Amino acid sequence: MRAVGHVSGERVPVREDLAAVVPYGAPQLDVPVRLNTNETAEPPPAAFLEELARRLPELALNRYPDRDALALRDAIALRLGWAREGVWVANGSNEILLQLLLAYGGPGRRVLVTRPGYSMYPELARTTSTSLVAVDLEADGTLAPEVARAAVERHDPDIVLVASPNNPIGTLVPHEAVRSMHDASRALVVIDEAYVEFAPEGSSVLELLDTCPRLVVSRTFSKAFRLAGLRLGYLAARPWVVDDLQRVRLPYHLDALTQLAGLVALGMEDAFLDHRATVVAERERVRAALEARGDLEVAPSSANFLLLRSERP
Ligand code: PMP
């Protein structure tokens, strides 16, 4: 074998801004209690796999899937009470967010995130060569409407990208803060509701879509729907957003099996979500017990995880 580097130009240098990048991803460990990726521990209902297996022969895998995923988007639209033209689907909400940054970010454009915030946002910004600016949350994890407004006025972002409930804290962003960021900016305001099904009723900002034309609500099947292995996420927004995402999506980006599985899951939504009450009750029980120790600070959470702070190293 020749020594590496012997032939000049044997390796193509990666983009300069990627050279020091370590691939993103939490460790995937084979341990009895896996907490680090905020999945649901329980598998999907057995009836789901049975129904999916029954319907597999419907798939014409020699053909490309429906490029526009119309049946699945119709089912999601019905669930949300929003028009199909304003619903889009992709491989997990991460791909939804990537497509949004590809379409509305890019060189010379800025995305505003919260600090702390979901650790994938800086990665998406870097991949799409979008500048990252941040607004600090209060010590208790909240975002006051005046602080939110001041941040968009100062940074003039093209995109605002905020998770509610927040990852890693679990706190919700108040509706007034979302409205402030929308009304005081020209930005696309993306609220990432990956964990919203674990939050109290009325927490979602879907109801603001009518009055906030630049609002985008992003959701996923990975958390409360217990289908992280499927890779299915979606958004609700004005139809022009969906039209713009068509410009950056790969053709046939969402495979036929995922489209069918999403449809089947939505057909039995109640069975999928019936574990939520248990997760929320357990979250509160564990939080109270951890707090009672006296040596940990435990933030109140509206998600399916808790953030702990300890004085001890
Ligand atoms: N948003 C937030 C806040 C998350 O925590 C996650 C997953 N950790 C995602 C989006 C992405 O989830 P997925 O791509 O599985 O839909």
Side-chain angles (χ1 to χ4, degrees):
M1 220 177 84
R2 268 180 316 201
V4 174
H6 179 76
V7 176
S8 88
E10 211 171 64
R11 180 172 177 157
V12 177
V14 72
R15 253 168 53 185
E16 232 165 76
D17 59 332
L18 297 181
V21 169
V22 178
Y24 179 88
Q28 293 194 291
L29 304 174
D30 189 13
V31 290
V33 183
R34 239 161 87 174
L35 299 174
N36 67 339
T37 47
N38 306 340
E39 300 142 325
T40 290
E42 274 181 69
F48 165 70
L49 288 180
E50 284 160 22
E51 178 63 6
L52 185 59
R54 199 183 63 76
R55 293 189 55 180
L56 281 183
E58 282 175 27
L59 296 174
L61 290 179
N62 54 318
R63 300 290 181 192
Y64 284 114
D66 176 6
R67 201 171 43 217
D68 297 319
L70 294 179
L72 177 58
R73 285 166 61 204
D74 270 339
I76 293 172
L78 196 67
R79 170 173 187 251
L80 301 180
W82 192 244
R84 175 229 274 167
E85 292 73 23
V87 170
W88 184 240
V89 285
N91 292 279
S93 49
N94 276 336
E95 191 184 33
I96 290 280
L97 302 178
L98 174 63
Q99 291 183 348
L100 287 167
L101 268 96
L102 285 170
Y104 299 106
R109 293 190 171 206
R110 280 178 299 284
V111 57
L112 174 72
V113 301
T114 63
R115 200 167 31 210
Y118 178 32
S119 49
M120 190 62 199
Y121 297 159
E123 307 276 325
L124 292 169
R126 192 196 52 234
T127 303
T128 58
S129 302
T130 310
S131 304
L132 190 76
V133 287
V135 52
D136 288 321
L137 297 178
E138 305 296 316
D140 63 357
T142 55
L143 180 61
E146 326 73 77
V147 175
R149 174 180 289 272
V152 293
E153 283 174 351
R154 178 148 54 95
H155 294 294
D156 185 27
D158 299 276
I159 305 171
V160 171
L161 177 51
V162 170
S164 180
N166 176 276
N167 174 357
I169 307 186
T171 42
L172 289 161
V173 174
H175 286 198
E176 309 87 84
V178 174
R179 187 176 285 288
S180 288
M181 291 189 285
H182 180 275
D183 291 354
S185 77
R186 57 182 179 85
L188 190 78
V189 177
V190 182
I191 304 300
D192 174 356
E193 295 194 336
Y195 300 97
V196 81
E197 292 92 348
F198 297 108
E201 193 115 345
S203 299
S204 172
V205 295
L206 271 178
E207 65 181 55
L208 300 186
L209 278 173
D210 277 328
T211 50
C212 296
R214 284 173 281 106
L215 179 64
V216 176
V217 182
S218 161
R219 299 263 187 98
T220 182
F221 279 68
S222 298
K223 308 298 181 181
F225 258 90
R226 332 183 215 172
L227 286 172
L230 200 60
R231 308 311 298 131
L232 181 57
Y234 59 96
L235 66 69
R238 294 296 162 104
W240 53 263
V241 173
V242 176
D243 293 344
D244 287 342
L245 294 192
Q246 310 260 6
R247 302 172 204 264
V248 296
R249 60 109 178 94
L250 294 173
Y252 318 111
H253 68 294
L254 196 66
D255 70 84
L257 185 54
T258 302
Q259 293 189 32
L260 177 64
L263 262 180
V264 171
L266 285 169
M268 45 180 78
E269 183 178 349
D270 290 348
F272 267 93
L273 295 179
D274 65 2
H275 67 103
R276 272 184 311 178
T278 319
V279 172
V280 169
E282 273 297 284
R283 179 186 76 206
E284 294 311 311
R285 183 187 70 80
V286 172
R287 189 165 92 85
L290 290 170
E291 244 172 9
R293 289 166 49 109
D295 59 348
L296 293 170
E297 210 184 302
V298 193
S301 169
S302 293
N304 64 344
F305 54 82
L306 292 165
L307 179 72
L308 319 178
R309 284 193 186 92
S310 165
E311 287 305 314
R312 278 186 289 167

